[in-house]
Amino acid sequence: MNDPSTFATTEPDDREEPDGSLRPAPMQEAEADIPPRAAAAQRPRSGALRHVLRRPVAAALLFCGVLHLPVEAAAPALMTPADFLPLPVALVCLGLGAVLAIRDTPVVWRSVAVAALGLVTLYVWGGVALFDPLEGAVGGPFPWADTTVVLSAAACAVLAGVALMDRPARAREPSRRA
C-alpha cells in the first residue's frame, strides 16, 4: 500500500509535500523513454535571444520606413501610380518596426520576416525592370540609400529567422527534484 508507484497513481498531481513544496508530476511512460539529448532539446528556452535582436531589427525597419517616406505626399495630381509605391512600403516598415519594438511574439517576427523579404524582392524586381523604388521618397536623392535598404531588409529577414528558431517551446518540462 505504501509503494511509491501506487501512491503516485492514486493521488492528485498537485498535492503538497509535508514541507510545503508541490510534489512533482509522475513521469509518463513515453517521457521515460526519451534520451537525455532529446529531453534537453524539448526543454523550453528563455527566448533571451529574441529580446536582444528585437531593438536592432526594429531600428533597421524604422530606418527603411523613414527612407521610403514620400517627399511630396500633398501633390497627388502630379504623381503617377508608381510614385505611390514608397508610401505603403513606408507604412508597412514603420508599422512593423513600431510593433516589434513593443511586442516580442512569433507572429510579429514572422510578419517582419515576410515584409523584409518582400522589400528585398521589390528591389530585385526594380533592378530588373529598371525601376527605382525610392523615386520620390526621402531617400531617393542619396546614392547609398538603395544599398542600405536592401542590406537592412536582408539583415532583418535573417535575424527574424534566427529569432524564430530560438523561440521557447510551448510544452512545460515536468519538474524534477533531486
Side-chain angles (χ1 to χ4, degrees):
M1 184 79 179
N2 289 335
D3 182 41
S5 62
T6 307
F7 182 75
T9 57
T10 59
E11 296 283 324
D13 290 340
D14 58 351
R15 180 172 175 187
E16 288 187 11
E17 293 288 329
D19 64 351
S21 63
L22 289 178
R23 184 173 51 100
M27 196 173 213
Q28 300 290 333
E29 289 177 19
E31 291 175 358
D33 296 335
I34 297 175
R37 283 191 179 195
Q42 291 177 353
R43 281 189 208 123
R45 296 186 218 165
S46 66
L49 183 60
R50 286 181 18 194
H51 296 293
V52 170
L53 296 176
R54 185 173 76 187
R55 297 202 193 275
V57 172
L61 276 176
L62 292 172
F63 183 67
C64 289
V66 167
L67 287 177
H68 282 90
L69 285 173
V71 174
E72 294 194 32
L78 302 173
M79 297 175 79
T80 63
D83 292 334
F84 285 109
L85 187 60
L87 182 61
V89 171
L91 292 176
V92 168
C93 289
L94 291 172
L96 282 175
V99 169
L100 183 62
I102 296 169
R103 306 238 351 159
D104 188 21
T105 62
V107 172
V108 174
W109 280 106
R110 283 187 202 106
S111 301
V112 166
V114 168
L117 289 174
L119 192 57
V120 170
T121 304
L122 174 70
Y123 275 83
V124 169
W125 176 75
V128 169
L130 301 175
F131 167 72
D132 184 17
L134 280 178
E135 186 177 337
V138 172
F142 304 110
W144 51 264
D146 290 328
T147 305
T148 304
V149 168
V150 170
L151 290 177
S152 296
C156 286
V158 169
L159 292 177
V162 169
L164 284 169
M165 294 301 290
D166 190 54
R167 72 175 186 229
R170 288 182 183 236
R172 215 182 90 198
E173 177 188 10
S175 60
R176 297 183 185 180
R177 291 179 38 177

